[in-house]
Amino acid sequence: MEKHYGNVKPVSFKSIYEKQLYNILSDLRLPLMTVIFFTTVYVLLMMILNGKTDGESVANYFFHTIITFTTIGYTEGYTDSITANRLVTSVFLMVAFPLVYFYGLAATVQVILQGEIKHKFRHWRMYSKMEHVKNHYIICGFNETSKEIMRSFVKRKIPFILIDPNESKRQEIIEFGTTFYVIAQPQRRDSLLGLFIEDSKGLITTFDDDTLDIAIIVTARLIMPDKENYFIFSTSTSEMDSEKMKLLGANEVIVPAVTTGRRITSYVLHPPSPAMSGFLDLVAYGEKSNVDIVEIRISEESEFAGKSIADSLFKDKTGTNIIATVDSKGDINTIPDRNTILATGTSIIVLGTPKQLEKVAAYSKGGTK
């Protein structure tokens, strides 16, 4: 398949933190190398002084070195020439302990107490796991809208990766409990490629800045041009900009002010009952329950294609009823009768349990369930 984004290389967020982690650990190279070098010198010195060159003596004098520097023993490594051994050990301690071991210990403690190792390692682990995420959604922008989306995704076990350009939001994102996130520019191709957009199911952008949303939509659609198989959803501050977003590649655009106004108007014109409001919220906007509603397109391979609802035995095979149909022009028939033809490309809106809807999806694509 031809690539549509040129020779842009994906950002490897794992490698970024891997390098930072190595840079921090590199601060320990000199003190650790110094400790290892002087320890080796002392072990060899004691072996030569006592005429011991066998392999067993290496372990014995290494142990002697450790207990000597921890000031809990002085003669466990030798029994002869005690005076000479003590003199060499004392001189070595006076020189090596303050200049080498104390320095090495202080440098190690300083790096650990700074907390950078833990911080970088936590991010490196997160990005390592993120590389295995598939069939996910990319959510652009951390705000109240995206928070609600992420809560719903978590409850429905839908994988996602959050991206936001604002470094000041990092701590808030962490406290929110976001599993995978990056702080980067979402309108950049290398950033989206680094979020494995080619393995994702869709992208959602919720910024209050329509210009940024448009830039993200254009970039994402440049990489993933198939509008029928890759979904891009966005919010917009105006209906005018929402139309631009659709023309530039968004599948659906929601104008929060318009949506809220229409819903309140529907309450005024049709005073809601508690049961009906609860049902609509549960099915259309709420948690995943034993009832859900979906729109499914009838493919050419489907055994329903070209048949009427009655002849297709739709209810007998799926256990559900078709509550509406949508023709190729987008016109909705909310009361389809049994003689309505399910033409190829027709979309059907079905209400049912998750298992029933899986059957509908399978039959509509030409398979069986």
Side-chain angles (χ1 to χ4, degrees):
M1 182 177 179
E2 182 184 355
K3 301 295 184 182
H4 295 267
Y5 50 82
N7 296 320
V8 178
K9 293 183 178 180
V11 175
S12 176
F13 295 99
K14 173 185 174 182
S15 297
I16 291 174
Y17 277 88
E18 202 168 66
K19 291 177 181 178
Q20 292 178 1
L21 186 61
Y22 286 156
N23 289 337
I24 294 174
L25 293 176
S26 67
D27 294 338
L28 297 177
R29 284 184 301 179
L30 181 59
L32 289 178
M33 289 174 63
T34 305
V35 169
I36 293 172
F37 174 75
F38 274 85
T39 300
T40 303
V41 168
Y42 182 73
V43 171
L44 293 175
L45 184 63
M46 295 302 294
M47 291 175 63
I48 294 172
L49 183 64
N50 292 277
K52 304 290 185 179
T53 58
D54 57 286
E56 182 179 351
S57 297
V58 175
N60 289 337
Y61 280 108
F62 177 72
F63 175 72
H64 167 72
T65 301
I66 300 302
I67 64 174
T68 297
F69 288 141
T70 54
T71 66
I72 60 175
Y74 295 97
T75 60
E76 282 73 3
Y78 51 84
T79 56
D80 301 325
S81 304
I82 293 179
T83 302
N85 279 276
R86 286 180 174 177
L87 178 62
V88 171
T89 299
S90 298
V91 173
F92 194 85
L93 277 175
M94 287 188 293
V95 174
F97 190 80
L99 298 180
V100 178
Y101 291 93
F102 186 77
Y103 161 70
L105 179 62
T108 303
V109 171
Q110 181 181 8
V111 171
I112 294 175
L113 291 181
Q114 283 178 348
E116 287 298 312
I117 288 183
K118 182 179 179 181
H119 171 75
K120 302 300 182 184
F121 182 71
R122 183 175 66 245
H123 283 82
W124 176 81
R125 284 190 61 189
M126 178 182 70
Y127 294 131
S128 297
K129 293 179 180 179
M130 193 174 77
E131 290 185 348
H132 301 287
V133 176
K134 305 290 183 182
N135 297 320
H136 58 289
Y137 282 87
I138 297 173
I139 300 178
C140 304
F142 183 71
N143 49 39
E144 295 304 317
T145 301
S146 63
K147 286 180 184 178
E148 187 60 34
I149 294 171
M150 289 187 286
R151 290 189 189 100
S152 298
F153 277 15
V154 169
K155 291 173 182 177
R156 291 173 178 259
K157 297 181 179 180
I158 300 174
F160 65 88
I161 299 174
L162 173 70
I163 178 172
D164 192 282
N166 196 339
E167 175 65 35
S168 64
K169 292 185 179 181
R170 182 186 293 274
Q171 188 57 39
E172 187 180 356
I173 291 172
I174 294 174
E175 293 175 356
F176 185 75
T178 309
T179 304
F180 299 118
Y181 73 90
V182 299
I183 303 299
Q185 298 295 328
Q187 73 275 20
R188 292 175 58 97
R189 287 181 291 174
D190 55 354
S191 296
L192 293 181
L193 289 169
L195 300 181
F196 319 107
I197 186 173
E198 295 174 298
D199 296 323
S200 67
K201 294 180 66 175
L203 177 143
I204 303 169
T205 178
T206 63
F207 288 102
D208 295 328
D209 182 358
D210 286 356
T211 303
L212 182 55
D213 284 331
I214 289 173
I216 295 170
I217 292 169
V218 171
T219 304
R221 191 54 75 194
L222 179 67
I223 301 173
M224 305 295 288
D226 189 351
K227 196 171 181 179
E228 292 187 0
N229 293 309
Y230 190 81
F231 304 100
I232 298 177
F233 307 106
S234 178
T235 59
S236 176
T237 58
S238 69
E239 289 188 280
M240 181 181 297
D241 283 344
S242 72
E243 292 301 320
K244 293 179 184 177
M245 293 176 182
K246 290 180 180 179
L247 291 173
L248 292 170
N251 293 78
E252 293 293 341
V253 180
I254 295 175
V255 183
V258 174
T259 302
T260 303
R262 288 175 179 172
R263 195 167 185 193
I264 292 176
T265 302
S266 69
Y267 287 154
V268 173
L269 299 177
H270 308 285
S273 67
M276 183 59 69
S277 295
F279 175 77
L280 292 176
D281 286 341
L282 185 66
V283 173
Y285 311 109
E287 321 264 335
K288 187 173 183 179
S289 64
N290 60 343
V291 177
D292 214 338
I293 186 170
V294 297
E295 178 184 350
I296 298 175
R297 184 182 296 272
I298 303 295
S299 67
E300 294 181 359
E301 296 79 16
S302 174
E303 63 178 84
F304 298 149
K307 297 179 182 179
S308 67
I309 294 178
D311 293 338
S312 68
L313 301 177
F314 187 88
K315 183 175 182 179
D316 293 336
K317 293 179 178 179
T318 66
T320 64
N321 286 313
I322 299 174
I323 61 176
T325 60
V326 185
D327 62 21
S328 58
K329 297 180 180 179
D331 295 330
I332 301 176
N333 180 8
T334 57
I335 312 176
D337 57 37
R338 60 195 310 273
N339 296 318
T340 300
I341 301 298
L342 301 177
T344 299
T346 297
S347 293
I348 56 175
I349 299 177
V350 185
L351 181 70
T353 65
K355 288 185 177 180
Q356 290 173 335
L357 297 177
E358 287 177 5
K359 289 183 179 181
V360 175
Y363 275 113
S364 66
K365 294 178 180 178
T368 59
K369 184 70 176 178

